[in-house]
Amino acid sequence: MAVSTSVTPRDARDAWIDAKLADLGQWMQRHGGTIRTIQWGVVAVYLVLVAVPAFLPLPDRSAHLWNNLTVFAQFAFWGIWWPFVLVSMVVVGRAWCGILCPEGALTEFASRWSLGRAVPRWITWGGWPFVAFAGTTVYGQMVSVYGYPKPVLAVLGGSTVAAILVGLLYGRNKRVWCRYLCPVNGVFAVLAKLAPVSFQVDYAAWAASPKPRGATASKPRGDSFNCAPLVPVKTMNGAGACHMCGRCSGYRGAVRLARRSPTHEIVHVAGSEPSLDQTMLILFGMMGLAVGAFQWSSSPWFIDVKQALATWLIERGTTWPLETTLPWYILTNYPEHNDVLSLLDGGLLLGYIAAAAIVLGLSLSGLVALATLALGWSRARFHHLTQTLIPVAGCGVFLGLSALTVTFLRGDGILIPYVSEMRAALLLGTSLWSVWLAWSVAGLSARGLRRAGATLGIAAACALSVSGWVLLFWIW
Ligand code: SF4
């Protein structure tokens, strides 16, 4: 029987896209200098926006983002930068980290003159992504980082100084900070798993190619490359750790920028790398703590508890928790703007965020556990099913941050149309994406009712997560 070898228009289009992507990877590999020039441009803009507003008077009512540097910097950082860097992770992986991130560029630059110390074990602790994310999120709320320039200098500037110090101490020409300690490394790593493009390794081609002359595992030479974020490129099978810098493109004829299904890494790779740290980050961080952090200032529950506690304290003649304030770098303190948090406010803020993290985290864990039980319990399966929640978890963090975008623009009289509809569509779309991932993961080990039961458990977890955002955007 004759076998048809005809090439369909779709095949031709796919081949064209593959070739263009591979070319783009090679272009990045050859034009490292151009990428570094872009990075230094971003560093210059970043340093001005982080540092200068902290030394200017606070903006008054006549200030707008087009005539006041402080307002512009607030909008640039919290209205554009953070929400859309998150989106970029899902679209092009961690290209932000490898091409644009000023902190990454500075820590790598500093590590040229590093003392070259070996990376100590405390830095490689797997809990940092959660602890650093939680710490900066909570501290940011305590000092109102979204509203004032000095906290921006403390949070972002402090992080940048820490990145440079780590660069000066550990590794050589590396990004030890980014690999282990950056507060958003964990969130970026989980979101990049959804990216439809990544640098991919052809293991057979790697094994078949001759080793570059003089190279060893620890000291590459010749046509070798420097992977600054310390990715073990030879065994790389996901996009979570790769900064998409392109330096390894074409290496041994085995590495290239290529397409992949946005479900591939979660369904076919994440199961072989069960990670308690990422599970904690997704369930208790992105879907728990972040919800509390974005919710507390709009929550009627917060106000009810505060009033009840204040009344109870006043009746007992204990007024100091209501009257004591702290410096701005511990708790928001701007009396000239009628924006002061008392000790009571601060304690309740921390309590609210902690309660959201614990209640939502445990409830979501319970639902994922039920989904896992439907397939037959195993810890690895629990971690794998948790990864299916990444789309809806990422959507929540994006919506929380982009609410600031909407607020900033509204403050300047710019109304974005259909905001509610877009939020609803994003929550629905990412929930369906998570459910589809759960169906696919469950299908690896079960059929029929067990598969449906596991998917239902994840669907319930999506519904619980969405309910927190429904309260914030539509009910309160
Ligand atoms: S694996 Fe390393 S060298 Fe290759 S693109 Fe990613 S970050 Fe760059």
Side-chain angles (χ1 to χ4, degrees):
M1 192 172 73
V3 177
S4 169
T5 56
S6 64
V7 176
T8 65
R10 189 174 172 170
D11 291 338
R13 186 203 61 193
D14 288 352
W16 184 84
I17 294 173
D18 289 342
K20 288 293 167 200
L21 277 177
D23 286 350
L24 176 61
Q26 288 298 94
W27 185 91
M28 292 168 74
Q29 196 271 338
R30 287 193 306 273
H31 292 83
T34 307
I35 291 175
R36 273 184 288 285
T37 304
I38 295 170
Q39 282 173 340
W40 284 113
V42 179
V43 168
V45 174
Y46 169 80
L47 291 179
V48 169
L49 293 184
V50 165
V52 175
F55 301 97
L56 299 175
L58 284 176
D60 58 23
R61 288 183 174 278
S62 65
H64 298 283
L65 64 91
W66 53 83
N67 66 8
N68 183 284
L69 183 67
T70 304
V71 180
F72 175 77
Q74 277 171 357
F75 179 68
F77 281 130
W78 312 116
I80 302 288
W81 179 13
W82 279 113
F84 292 98
V85 165
L86 284 189
V87 173
S88 80
M89 296 295 143
V90 181
V91 179
V92 288
R94 298 182 66 169
W96 161 265
C97 303
I99 300 173
L100 297 171
C101 178
E103 239 170 53
L106 286 168
T107 194
E108 186 179 343
F109 183 68
S111 102
R112 279 193 197 184
W113 295 279
S114 167
L115 296 178
R117 292 190 189 158
V119 180
R121 280 190 64 184
W122 67 266
I123 283 187
T124 63
W125 177 54
W128 281 124
F130 177 79
V131 170
F133 171 75
T136 43
T137 304
V138 172
Y139 181 63
Q141 293 297 317
M142 289 169 63
V143 296
S144 296
V145 72
Y146 306 120
Y148 299 100
K150 281 184 182 162
V152 170
L153 184 58
V155 175
L156 297 182
S159 168
T160 303
V161 169
I164 292 171
L165 288 176
V166 168
L168 288 171
L169 288 173
Y170 305 111
R172 179 72 44 95
N173 294 317
K174 297 295 180 199
R175 295 183 172 203
V176 173
W177 169 264
C178 310
R179 178 80 166 91
Y180 298 109
L181 297 173
C182 168
V184 280
N185 173 41
V187 175
F188 288 178
V190 296
L191 291 179
K193 294 183 183 197
L194 301 170
V197 289
S198 67
F199 280 93
Q200 296 169 23
V201 182
D202 180 335
Y203 306 114
W206 185 296
S209 70
K211 197 173 183 177
R213 215 157 50 86
T216 65
S218 61
K219 201 171 183 184
R221 295 227 189 106
D223 62 349
S224 196
F225 62 92
N226 169 36
C227 178
L230 303 153
V231 181
V233 180
K234 184 179 176 184
T235 55
M236 174 171 72
N237 59 2
C242 168
H243 284 199
M244 301 284 282
C245 69
R247 292 177 201 173
C248 61
S249 183
Y251 185 67
R252 296 178 77 150
V255 187
R256 68 189 181 117
L257 184 62
R259 288 178 304 147
R260 60 180 192 166
S261 159
T263 62
H264 172 80
E265 187 167 344
I266 303 284
V267 177
H268 298 291
V269 179
S272 58
E273 302 168 342
S275 165
L276 173 64
D277 309 316
Q278 289 194 351
T279 294
M280 291 292 294
L281 180 67
I282 295 166
L283 297 177
F284 288 82
M286 296 168 74
M287 300 178 83
L289 181 137
V291 179
F294 287 117
Q295 257 187 9
W296 71 270
S297 58
S298 310
S299 170
W301 302 336
F302 181 89
I303 294 169
D304 289 348
V305 173
K306 181 180 162 180
Q307 280 178 345
L309 254 178
T311 308
W312 186 81
L313 285 168
I314 291 167
E315 282 171 0
R316 274 150 193 78
T318 311
T319 55
W320 61 264
L322 290 83
E323 292 160 353
T324 309
T325 58
L326 294 171
W328 65 265
Y329 48 86
I330 301 176
L331 215 48
T332 305
N333 193 346
Y334 301 91
E336 66 278 26
H337 282 244
N338 288 326
D339 193 5
V340 178
L341 293 181
S342 65
L343 266 191
L344 178 68
D345 294 320
L348 284 173
L349 178 165
L350 293 177
Y352 192 98
I353 296 176
I358 293 167
V359 171
L360 284 170
L362 287 177
S363 307
L364 291 162
S365 302
L367 291 168
V368 179
L370 285 176
T372 312
L373 281 172
L375 299 175
W377 174 263
S378 88
R379 215 181 281 179
R381 199 168 274 154
F382 176 83
H383 294 312
H384 196 184
L385 281 171
T386 300
Q387 299 262 325
T388 66
L389 291 168
I390 291 174
V392 75
C395 176
V397 180
F398 169 74
L399 288 183
L401 287 168
S402 62
L404 298 168
T405 318
V406 175
T407 308
F408 282 132
L409 289 175
R410 195 190 296 135
D412 277 331
I414 303 167
L415 298 179
I416 303 178
Y418 304 113
V419 170
S420 269
E421 288 81 354
M422 286 192 280
R423 284 174 178 152
L426 279 172
L427 286 169
L428 181 65
T430 51
S431 295
L432 290 175
W433 188 355
S434 284
V435 169
W436 173 250
L437 285 169
W439 175 255
S440 305
V441 168
L444 297 175
S445 53
R447 289 277 174 270
L449 275 181
R450 288 171 57 216
R451 185 181 189 183
T455 308
L456 208 60
I458 296 300
C462 291
L464 176 59
S465 175
V466 167
S467 67
W469 300 106
V470 169
L471 281 176
L472 179 61
F473 292 128
W474 286 282
I475 295 180
W476 288 341

